[in-house]
Amino acid sequence: MTDSVTPPAGTAPTVVHGPKREGTPALEARGLTKHFPVGRGKVVHAVEEISIALPEATVTAVVGESGSGKSTLARLLTGLIKPTSGELLLDGKPVGTSAKALRAYTSDVHLVLQDPFSSLNSAHSVGYHIERPLKLHSDVRGAELDAKVVELLDRVSLSPGAEFAAKYPHELSGGQRQRVAIARGLAVRPRVLLADEPVSMLDVSIRLGVLNLFDGLREDERLAILYVTHDIASARYLADTIVVMYAGQVVESGPAEQITDAPQHPYTQLLLSAAPDPARDQAPELRGSGSPPSLVNPPSGCRFHPRCPFAMAVCKEQAPPSLPVGTDQVAACWLHSPEHKAEADAVSAQI
Amino acid sequence: MTAVQAGPVLGEPVLEVSKLCIDYGLPEDGGVRAVTDVTFTLRRGEVLGLAGESGSGKSTLAYAIPRLLRAPGVITGGDVIFHQRPVGGGPSQAVDMLTADAETLANIRWVDLSMVFQSAMHALNPVARIEGQLTDVLRRHRPGWSPAQRKERAVELLQMVGISADRLRAFPHELSGGMRQRVMIAMALALEPALVIMDEPTTALDVVTQREIIEELMELRERLGFAVIFITHDLSLLLELADTIAIMYAGRLVEMATATELVRAPRHPYSQGLLNSFPALHGAKKRMVGIPGAPPSLRAMPAGCKFHPRCVHAGESCLSVEPRLARPNGSFSARTVACTLQDGSRPTPAELALPDPAETAPSRFRTPAAAVPAPSDPNQNLTVGDLS
Amino acid sequence: MTSTLPTETMTGGSPATPAAPARRRRRHYPIKVQVGAGITLFFILIAIFGPELAPHSAAWVANTTNGTPQPPSGSNWLGTDNTQHDLYSALLLGARSTLLISFVAGAFATVLSVAMGVTSGYVGGVTDEVMSIITNIFLALPGLLILMVILKPLPPGDQNNSLVIGFVVALSSWAYGARALRAQTLTLRDQDYVVSARVIGERKRRIVIYEILPNLLPIVAASFIFTVIYGMGVYVALCYLGVVSPASGSWGTLLQTAQASGAIEANQWWWYLPPALCIALVGIGLALLNFGIDEIINPRIRSSRSKRRDVKFQLGLTPVVRPATSTVVEGEQL
């Protein structure tokens, strides 16, 4: 954790999620909150007070169901949408709000979107898609530019690059399109790559290839990667750290294998028991039925309490703080609070 | 509950598909073949999982069986026989789906054979209440019923899929994605069909909702005894719910086996590759490679085995000879596979020659305790579509 | 009809096999497009070469003292009017101003609708609201009445200026296109490729011109053709009502003089029928072109037909075409 975080007096210390590394993280977000107005004075509490640090050469997975705010978080980190409150720090320096500062920011932080069929414009060639960021953010021109395009395509295993540059998106398969989208992201030589469900629209047999590409980029380009997904198994495969989101909040975070092997938050446990697992011998027991709450009127206290089989009195009244539950692992759950230990044990014993 | 009947009569076929070929457009119109020579038999109460990637022809096959495939889809060969239970009992009658006229088909669809689609939002009428949509099905096929009877049945159907009766007056957009899919399942089961075809019914849903719906579905199947063709790209899900799994690649069945056999001892290199494409939730992290390359285009099918360009075991003969679906060499099970590695002509790699698992109840949902030697359903082990 | 198949329909999901390589092949245009293009081209040629083809000038008068219109004859193919002008020549001469003004109006209206619709759709906010209000006002106003009010005080010189008349006609016909383009822009604005362009730091104007506009072209083309048809209707109406009377004459003017001289009551069909037919034909030709564009944009319309007469694609009854229909013996495959 960085020592730059100084908690305001009188509140609990802010917990910064994400892989723990020495030095300044490539990208850090402090207290990001996004409320979307939906008319008549109502707001959707899409993302609530999230602090996350993405050090270079790491992969952080954000796992959650639809409506958990995970995609909103990724878009907040791109600067595409303005947070209601909170700030972004690139290499420890706050990101300015001027148009110029934002444009500079876009060369350091890139977003790869979910649907490779709509993230490329069918009117333009593959080469065009890769040239544009180079023209916008570098002085490379002419033959040098063409060489750079080919090099980038080769980098994402689209060889021969010259041949692929001349193709149009409709001539490529889903996996190849997603590689083009990633190559475009690399063109700006970013520090940070945000990937919003980058493989969920791809065929099963080619997903691993794209995940392995991300893994290689983490090592070779020392990228800080944020991997947003609903698939906790792939998060475990790729990520150093898993951050679990529910209803706009982080409920648990920690080293990937620790989260999947010893989940401490009831929601993480529910998510894991629901995930398909051929190694399982019998049908899993689901603890906590129902669906995520409305974010216009989120439940009081812990947002998971209406579904939580372990819910205690305090859960309805007070939002739980993030409590340490293991090495670098935190869970926002009253079950892990020393003050409520007796009650928590009683509830757990009943189930 | 009127729906409770005698348990499923296993063993009796409900659907027989043989050498079915489906094209998009006729040869004259420059059409392409999407499904080639698909043969299988589905028995009453059986869950057949159809797994494959996009373009593998799995949805095409599913829509062609009830002849709901849209233009320019054309059935260009083979047979589809549906065994219809006559109203009021008696032995079932074989209906040739491919020669049946519109009226015969209308009397089979929804009554004996229903479908659940991927997008419930598109399949439900957005301007009609749930009640109306449920009772419409009954009004059409149960003309003798009074409105009160229909409403009672609608309530019963909703409760069956875990939705409270007060949602009857709701419009589709007022329900969550999971609830809409449950309504679709309730509608599909309204007339107690013998077969439900489900095309990626849970793909658009979150994992928790998906799991809940699958469990409800399997419970209902147990109780009502309908057979299911479950289509998905998610093999890991199928392994948990299907009795039999058919793997499709490039419009062909490449392997068909019980779920246990497939997960423990895959025989086709593609099945094995698919199984190795799902990262595990437990155990040591290891680098996985998936399957190199991408599925072929329908317009540019390779010669010989359609999988050979992506296959690490491809040999000389694979480039020209297309293997046929047959019992693997040395196997005593009813499973089949289309690969020259398994016909005795070439040595079989060790990872594709694992011993067939001991025959236990294939569906973990049906018999939770894996050790029980399945005395309840002696026929179940024979349901792997006796193909050879 | 091309052999392009919508492979997207194969599995209802992502197309593993893009339909596109086929797009590169030589395209056989649908018959509707061919007929539509033929008719349109024919009239465009007449508009260009009409004055050269016309046997007589506008001032020419038949050498007869008879004050009544003459029916078609060997010397006057379409007869004459009450002042003994040759109607065949008048028809050829009138084509130019009619078509010119229709196309000028279509072009102006398209430019206006693209500017208004795309800006309003992409920029959003207050700009969108103001522009939408303006668009809706133009939609709601009775166009013809407004045009009469605008055109009456114009100096006679401008009455013969095609650009001025075309622009004024365009004012009454751009709003539909603007509405359609705004709606489509709203959809495209949220497409992932537009979001991606923003992520890499593209400027707004470049996104509109290079990312959004190319994908609007089919709608722009359809809207252009529609406004040409509409513009022709408005122009003919204005001439017929006598609001404008171009020196070179137009099909609308022909109709107006025929009506004023009681040609319809006197059953002098050679006077009013040819211009009316020409107007209808141009309209049909353009409309066919528009249908064709629809088919090209939406391959599903095209692919739901087969060259084989005996094969019918019907919703809910997939056709079965087997080499030799064999009835299966039950249990055959056991």
Side-chain angles (χ1 to χ4, degrees), chain A residues 233-254:
Chain A
S234 72
R236 181 183 192 269
Y237 176 75
L238 179 65
D240 300 294
T241 294
I242 293 180
V243 175
V244 183
M245 281 186 75
Y246 181 77
Q249 297 172 323
V250 174
V251 293
E252 184 166 5
S253 79

Side-chain angles (χ1 to χ4, degrees), chain B residues 162-210:
Chain B
I163 300 179
S164 67
D166 56 1
R167 306 317 293 263
L168 217 49
R169 300 294 293 159
F171 287 100
H173 66 87
E174 294 170 328
L175 304 178
S176 67
M179 287 224 255
R180 285 197 289 263
Q181 203 54 276
R182 286 187 168 96
V183 169
M184 283 306 298
I185 292 173
M187 281 174 72
L189 297 177
L191 303 168
E192 298 170 29
L195 171 61
V196 185
I197 297 176
M198 302 191 166
D199 183 24
E200 306 256 9
T202 60
T203 303
L205 305 175
D206 283 319
V207 273
V208 178
T209 319
Q210 162 174 299

Side-chain angles (χ1 to χ4, degrees), chain B residues 18-19 76-81 96-99, chain C residues 320-330 332:
Chain B
S18 66
K19 295 201 182 306
T76 47
D79 288 286
V80 177
I81 307 293
D96 185 343
M97 295 291 281
L98 302 193
T99 53
Chain C
V320 178
V321 182
R322 287 180 288 194
T325 314
S326 59
T327 35
V328 85
V329 184
E330 214 184 316
E332 184 191 56

